[in-house]
Amino acid sequence: MGSLSFPVDLSDIQTKLNPLVQSILASPAIQSAKPSSAADGFAVILFLFSALGYLTHGYVWDKPDPNRGVWFERPQLMDGTSSGRVATTRDISQKLAEGDHHCVIFWGSQSGTSERFAETLGRECLSHFGINALVADLSDYDAHSISKIQSTHFAIFILSTYGEGDPSDNTAGLWDWIKQVVDKKTKVESLRYLAFGLGNSNYKYYNRVLDVVADALDNAGANALMPRQKADDANGSTEEDFQAWKDDLFTLFRQLGFEQKTVKYVSTLDLTFSEETQNEKWASPATSLIHQQTSTQSAIVPLTIKSAQELFSAGDRNCIHMELDLGNQDVVYKTGDHIGIWPCNPEEEIERLLNALGAQSRRYKTFSVKSDNKSVKAKVPSLTTLDAAFRHHLEICAPVARKTVQEVAQFAPTPAANATLLEIGQSRERYEQLSSSTHITLARLLQLASPTEPWTGLPLAFVIENLLSLQPRYYSISSSSVIAPRRIAVTALVVNKTIGDKSSTSTIHGLTSNYLLSASDIASNAAVPTPSYQQISHGQGLPGSKVLAHVRKSKFKLPITSSTPLILISAGTGFAPFRAFLQERAKLHVIGKPVGNILLFFGCRNKDDFIYRGELDKIQSDLGGKLKIITAFSRDGAKTYVQDRVDENASEVLELLDAGANMYICGKASMAREVDMKIEDAVSKAKGLSEAEVKAWADSLKKRGKWKADVWG
């Protein structure tokens, strides 16, 4: 309620109030009735005050806030100048003209890769060719204004595809406009454009967003300056695919008359070291990690490990079940959500990088970071140490892109090191040969090129600029929020990938899975040693250990009605969310609620890898015949995969779908794609449907939430 404010112009109030009061007092009822008691008199007075309060609302009390409209303005539409808030245009053609830009680089990104590529390309367009490029979030502009871009400019689209061929959240406006272009046969003949897509060929709709957008623009008369190209993350070649496309793009720029310049490295970051030295416990990773809390993901919090156990009964691999206590943290989760685990980098790789840079003496010295480019997002806190930056903020274990190999050569401590890096970086074949046999982190690359001389001439700003930000790794939560609302279960396969041949091999350790193994106090079954990690703990041993994590909402949810039948299809740790689903259904059945039939497909290597087998037996017993389990073992005699079992039992799957069942698929994208094909082939044969009709049938189930997938590359 607003506070009283005087002076107030009462003339308007009096004008409204007088006729009402006079009419009430002159009414026969009031004239003939006189208060028979003090209570009646009080009631009349109360009525009059109520009328007065009603008529003075908005004039004397609860006055509207004159700045209320500002609450609803988009932050990106305000420039924050002292002269007042000025809305910037959402018309991209107008923005290009006002800023004297040659082109716009649009990015559509869900995880940040497309955004990073766009920012990199924008900087290099200016530094290499003098091309003033506007790097633009698609959601910051009205998509229909793209049609007004004149042929004096051009547009570059860098678009990601994720999930079931879906556009990123910030691409929604473009997606809607593209549909209108197709439906209304809109023409965009003045538009010149280039397009690059990010996707994964393991997924059914590989780079669908790129193809839909580019096809629509081509059909609308736009001029594609060169053929669209695609990155494929299925084999980890996204960075290399982007570099190859960029090489072709730069060739095009030269053909268009732009002169390419020899570029010397100029840092966008200013690092200032102080003489103050901090101990290794100085920076709290929980408060210094750069993470945006949103409506779909919580804040990062330290969660205590309550218990951990090994799920595999034999073999040379580990699969961990870990219970994390939410305690009094202001974080909640719902069954089917994801947990993002924030790992730290292993001690061995931190030491290797500090030694390669010759920076051990500055390891714990604090430094400040400032950027002269407002569009560049911070990767490390403004005040930190090299130890904290390399431990908590930068992906020092990630492979180095070929572009970085070329650029780092200019800082080589010896001519031989320079020659080695140029030989690797200038040949895609040589680079791919090395990366297929060696895990090329930045530290290992520097030591490979110069085994004895440290890289003291390599600017630390260059290192921070070229390393990726450390990102969380997501796991499907394997506990039910109904059964355990304040405890989150994580099911993690520990990954150790061997590359190379018999003469030379290298191991790539899964960063987060090995981090969890280290924190769990479970012995490793692998032939190679587990990396060492700094643990967050109060005291020694598992009971005090913590991990940093946040919860991300998911649409992978059970139907509201418990009597809805379920089809659950999973392989390996893809069973994780289904453990939670089955726990809930079993609980409902035990307390007398109606529960629909459940058909569970589960695939793994062999019976030793059959995770949660004991729990499943109990749940099956509790459900009293409602749960049917069909297993597939790929390395136990005949190679049988979960998609084979789905094919064998396709008639039962279709029968349940026709009865209104919800179908869920969780596991690797390649498995999900094969399952989709088996089901679509089965419905085509069973119902005599054409390919188009099958697609319409599947799309209808997905749109109604009856067919859901939670898959990864």
Side-chain angles (χ1 to χ4, degrees), residues 206-502:
Y206 169 56
N207 261 306
R208 175 174 177 252
V209 173
L210 172 73
D211 287 335
V212 169
V213 171
D215 286 347
L217 293 178
D218 290 346
N219 293 332
N223 177 19
L225 295 177
M226 70 182 199
R228 73 193 75 165
Q229 292 186 31
K230 304 174 181 179
D232 187 2
D233 200 42
N235 53 12
S237 66
T238 295
E239 296 280 346
E240 181 57 41
D241 292 337
F242 173 67
Q243 180 64 35
W245 172 75
K246 195 170 58 172
D247 290 343
D248 293 342
L249 180 63
F250 286 179
T251 299
L252 173 67
F253 287 165
R254 291 191 293 271
Q255 293 171 352
L256 292 175
F258 292 102
E259 183 180 351
Q260 188 166 5
K261 309 170 187 176
T262 301
V263 179
K264 188 175 181 180
Y265 169 71
V266 177
S267 173
T268 60
L269 298 177
D270 179 23
L271 273 59
T272 305
F273 279 83
S274 72
E275 292 303 315
E276 183 181 2
T277 301
Q278 302 291 349
N279 63 44
E280 56 189 274
K281 300 292 185 182
W282 171 63
S284 170
T287 57
S288 64
L289 287 176
I290 298 170
H291 164 79
Q292 176 119 22
Q293 181 178 352
T294 67
S295 60
T296 59
Q297 54 187 22
S298 74
I300 301 173
V301 293
L303 301 180
T304 302
I305 303 173
K306 300 303 290 185
S307 64
Q309 67 182 83
E310 174 62 51
L311 294 176
F312 287 164
S313 58
D316 59 357
R317 301 185 303 159
N318 291 87
C319 188
I320 303 166
H321 172 86
M322 182 176 285
E323 301 272 346
L324 303 175
D325 187 16
L326 288 174
N328 59 359
Q329 300 285 359
D330 187 22
V331 173
V332 296
Y333 80 99
K334 297 294 183 183
T335 304
D337 282 348
H338 302 139
I339 183 169
I341 302 292
W342 291 79
C344 65
N345 286 308
E347 298 295 325
E348 294 86 348
E349 205 65 28
I350 297 170
E351 295 293 335
R352 183 179 283 114
L353 183 54
L354 287 167
N355 289 334
L357 295 171
Q360 284 285 6
S361 62
R362 292 196 283 178
R363 177 174 190 159
Y364 298 118
K365 289 188 180 297
T366 60
F367 65 89
S368 60
V369 183
K370 293 182 180 179
S371 173
D372 60 6
N373 189 336
K374 293 181 180 179
S375 67
V376 176
K377 293 185 177 180
K379 297 179 184 178
V380 299
S382 58
L383 190 65
T384 188
T385 65
L386 286 178
D387 182 83
F390 293 163
R391 187 180 304 280
H392 299 296
H393 301 289
L394 300 170
E395 291 272 14
I396 67 172
C397 295
V400 179
R402 183 164 62 92
K403 167 182 173 290
T404 305
V405 177
Q406 295 180 56
E407 292 179 347
V408 79
Q410 63 187 295
F411 306 108
T414 65
N418 176 273
T420 297
L421 292 186
L422 289 178
E423 186 255 333
I424 296 170
Q426 292 176 350
S427 167
R428 179 169 184 171
E429 292 72 23
R430 177 72 178 91
Y431 171 80
E432 290 179 346
Q433 179 187 29
L434 180 64
S435 60
S436 65
S437 60
T438 307
H439 184 202
I440 316 178
T441 64
L442 178 60
R444 296 175 192 220
L445 177 72
L446 300 181
Q447 290 184 337
L448 172 69
S450 179
T452 57
E453 290 292 322
W455 291 67
T456 53
L458 177 60
L460 292 173
F462 178 94
V463 175
I464 293 175
E465 286 172 341
N466 282 273
L467 289 172
L468 303 178
S469 297
L470 187 63
Q471 296 293 323
R473 273 60 168 178
Y474 288 98
Y475 296 86
S476 296
I477 295 175
S478 54
S479 55
S480 161
S481 58
V482 173
I483 309 299
R486 302 307 297 164
R487 187 166 289 193
I488 287 177
V490 180
T491 307
L493 175 68
V494 179
V495 179
N496 294 298
K497 180 182 178 182
T498 301
I499 58 175
D501 52 30
K502 293 181 179 180

Side-chain angles (χ1 to χ4, degrees), residues 615-693:
E615 285 189 18
L616 262 177
D617 289 342
K618 184 179 185 307
I619 289 173
Q620 191 170 31
S621 175
D622 290 343
L623 283 168
K626 291 286 186 179
L627 171 61
K628 180 179 179 180
I629 302 173
I630 299 175
T631 56
F633 301 118
S634 62
R635 299 192 185 182
D636 190 6
K639 289 187 177 181
T640 305
Y641 296 93
V642 70
Q643 55 265 33
D644 299 324
R645 294 299 192 208
V646 170
D647 189 33
E648 293 168 6
N649 296 271
S651 59
E652 189 172 358
V653 170
L654 296 181
E655 183 180 342
L656 280 172
L657 287 173
D658 288 340
N662 277 24
M663 182 168 67
Y664 302 84
I665 306 172
C666 189
K668 287 189 175 181
S670 54
M671 177 274 291
R673 184 183 60 193
E674 292 289 332
V675 168
D676 286 1
M677 291 171 59
K678 298 293 186 184
I679 293 174
E680 290 175 359
D681 185 53
V683 76
S684 175
K685 293 177 180 176
K687 299 185 179 184
L689 301 180
S690 66
E691 183 178 344
E693 289 170 329

